[in-house]
Amino acid sequence: MTHFRKILFPIAFSHTAAALAPSVKEMAQRFDAAVVVLNAFNPVPEYVFGLAPETPCCSNDRPVLFSPALQEVRNRQERRLEEFARTHFSGILHTEKIVDGNPATVIEWVADCEDIDLVIMPTRGLERFCRLMIGSVTSKVLHQIACPVWTSLQRVERTSASPIGYRSILCATRMSREEDVVLEAASLFAQAYDARLCLLHIRSV
């Protein structure tokens, strides 16, 4: 049976990530899970290739040698990540990680190395044309990662006093045995929040 022991929360310091953080904390408390707050450092995509998906988890080698200016930017980003985690996840077990490279690849690698049970990340609400032109990290993660991914179009205007809960959950599935863990996760969420569960399967023709 699916159990959420460790939740991965990738952030890019956006308003949507800050708006989703209270829900992530509540979910971690509800399931008694630890949170890994992750930031992928990729300031110059054409230059910072970062790690490869097959990089061993035990590897401590930094694949990129930054210039002093970029290293200072990375150091500031790391301090910003620590501050974000302290602000939003005080009182619960959490860690912070900053990893160099493409965000989707970094998320997949950390999820595997940290034995993550659930990835939670917001969409940015881009219009269809923008998504077509620049892609979506969330979309890439959904296609690449092996564990369940919880995502939502987060409302930035939501206040901290707003009640946290879910009334309806959509689970997209290919209805294959490999996705049993996704169905179990969706069922667990529906029970935990007393929510309606809707299964979506799109047949390709």
Side-chain angles (χ1 to χ4, degrees), residues 9-68:
F9 184 38
I11 67 166
F13 304 107
S14 64
H15 294 299
T16 51
L20 185 58
S23 296
V24 177
K25 182 176 182 179
E26 189 276 338
M27 202 173 286
Q29 292 171 323
R30 182 179 293 264
F31 294 107
D32 193 24
V35 176
V36 179
V37 188
L38 171 68
N39 176 249
F41 184 69
N42 197 34
V44 188
E46 294 78 10
Y47 169 71
V48 184
F49 294 100
L51 51 83
E54 63 274 10
T55 303
C57 294
C58 59
S59 175
N60 292 318
D61 296 333
R62 289 272 302 281
V64 177
L65 295 177
F66 294 112
S67 67

Side-chain angles (χ1 to χ4, degrees), residues 104-161:
T105 303
V106 164
I107 292 168
E108 182 184 11
W109 184 77
V110 172
D112 182 60
C113 292
E114 293 284 338
D115 197 21
I116 294 296
D117 300 299
L118 176 70
V119 178
I120 302 179
M121 54 192 305
T123 63
R124 295 200 303 176
L126 297 177
E127 295 180 356
R128 184 178 303 176
F129 179 76
C130 293
R131 289 199 304 268
L132 188 64
M133 293 299 293
I134 66 175
S136 162
V137 172
T138 304
S139 177
K140 292 175 183 176
V141 170
L142 285 169
H143 283 86
Q144 294 174 193
I145 209 162
C147 68
V149 178
W150 176 282
T151 185
S152 66
L153 183 59
Q154 195 66 20
R155 297 181 184 276
V156 176
E157 67 272 13
R158 182 178 183 174
T159 66
S160 58

